Amino acid sequence: MSSLLRYQFINYLRTYQYVPPFTIFILCLVVNYTFVPNPILDSYSFTSLILFFLMGWFTVTLFHAEDEGQKLITTLHAKNPTHYNIGVFIICGLIAFSLSCVSVFYPILIDAFFEKPKPLHIGLGFLSHFSLSILAIALTALFTREIVNNRQNTWWGVISILIMSVVIATLKNNIQAGLLWLLPPVHFSLEIMSVGDQIEVVPNVFYWHFAWIIIYAFLIIALFFFLVNRRSK
């Protein structure tokens, strides 16, 4: 698996398809913290949403980094398509982890906040970025060429599902509670990050909400593998 991951990552770097989303990510961070000081959690909430959309971009380009012929050869070396796709998901997760860390620690290093963030601010900031990134990876995977044949439909599908997830978060009060649990739980992160910087203790329910975002993402990833396996039969 390590050799597969190394190959997939190096191949992705050679495509330079990461340059546009990474450039936008850096620009958004720099612009967001151009004027200081800023509130801590509100700033983290904004950059986590930015990363949510950009991770969709990273995910599509990672899944489509190889042409069909090259991918077939790589899949044969990986022994089966499941190993190949797991490798792509792991690289997506590593990118999400790295960019989440950058998003959290960059404003701290340039002293961009009203006050010095406490460990709980840092923890909530990281969980917000990382959980939404994993959710974006999972949702986007459903629209990659592994499941959707038309590349144009892939991009429309990704844009639509990510925007819809954010819209659901803004309209959650108008949605039945039972149905809300079946929809992408972006609203949990936004609610948590709106509590204000004066928070002294992180309620246990916050951790459960972040956990549900990640569990929901893994359920979507399980659905992805189910659809891929069914399609290959």
Side-chain angles (χ1 to χ4, degrees):
M1 180 61 77
S2 60
S3 58
L4 174 63
L5 290 174
R6 191 182 309 112
Y7 167 77
Q8 288 176 319
F9 183 68
I10 293 174
N11 179 71
Y12 183 58
L13 292 180
R14 288 173 177 169
T15 67
Y16 295 104
Q17 294 185 61
Y18 61 90
V19 172
F22 184 72
T23 301
I24 293 174
F25 169 74
I26 296 299
L27 287 175
C28 286
L29 275 186
V30 171
V31 171
N32 188 54
Y33 295 110
T34 297
F35 301 100
V36 296
N38 297 280
I40 301 171
L41 296 184
D42 283 347
S43 298
Y44 281 157
S45 181
F46 175 75
T47 53
S48 67
L49 276 180
I50 295 295
L51 190 56
F52 176 70
F53 285 101
L54 291 179
M55 279 310 305
W57 194 340
F58 279 112
T59 302
V60 171
T61 53
L62 264 162
F63 271 96
H64 298 179
E66 297 181 302
D67 58 41
E68 289 291 351
Q70 185 181 5
K71 180 195 167 188
L72 179 60
I73 296 173
T74 305
T75 302
L76 291 174
H77 283 288
K79 298 183 179 179
N80 62 64
T82 299
H83 287 170
Y84 179 92
N85 289 325
I86 288 175
V88 176
F89 275 118
I90 290 175
I91 294 174
C92 287
L94 292 175
I95 293 175
F97 178 84
S98 301
L99 297 185
S100 295
C101 290
V102 172
S103 299
V104 171
F105 290 105
Y106 169 73
I108 296 176
L109 292 176
I110 65 171
D111 196 24
F113 296 130
F114 280 112
E115 57 182 290
K116 184 177 180 180
K118 300 174 183 176
L120 63 86
H121 293 135
I122 297 173
L124 289 176
F126 175 79
L127 288 173
S128 176
H129 286 85
F130 188 64
S131 62
L132 290 188
S133 295
I134 296 298
L135 180 61
I137 292 168
L139 295 172
T140 300
L142 295 178
F143 295 92
T144 58
R145 68 183 177 190
E146 309 300 320
I147 298 175
V148 177
N149 291 324
N150 190 309
R151 184 180 288 263
Q152 185 176 0
N153 290 340
T154 289
W155 285 109
W156 278 114
V158 170
I159 294 171
S160 298
I161 191 66
L162 297 183
I163 291 177
M164 184 186 74
S165 299
V166 176
V167 171
I168 290 170
T170 62
L171 300 176
K172 64 181 183 64
N173 293 330
N174 299 320
I175 302 174
Q176 292 183 356
L179 178 60
L180 196 60
W181 282 95
L182 299 177
L183 300 173
V186 174
H187 64 281
F188 279 145
S189 177
L190 300 183
E191 289 172 0
I192 292 170
M193 301 305 283
S194 66
V195 296
D197 296 343
Q198 73 282 355
I199 184 173
E200 296 291 338
V201 179
V202 179
N204 288 333
V205 69
F206 283 11
Y207 295 115
W208 284 110
H209 285 171
F210 280 128
W212 173 243
I213 296 174
I214 295 176
I215 291 171
Y216 185 96
F218 275 95
L219 290 174
I220 295 297
I221 292 173
L223 174 63
F224 166 85
F225 280 106
F226 171 78
L227 294 175
V228 170
N229 291 334
R230 191 179 70 170
R231 186 184 180 198
S232 62
K233 291 181 180 180

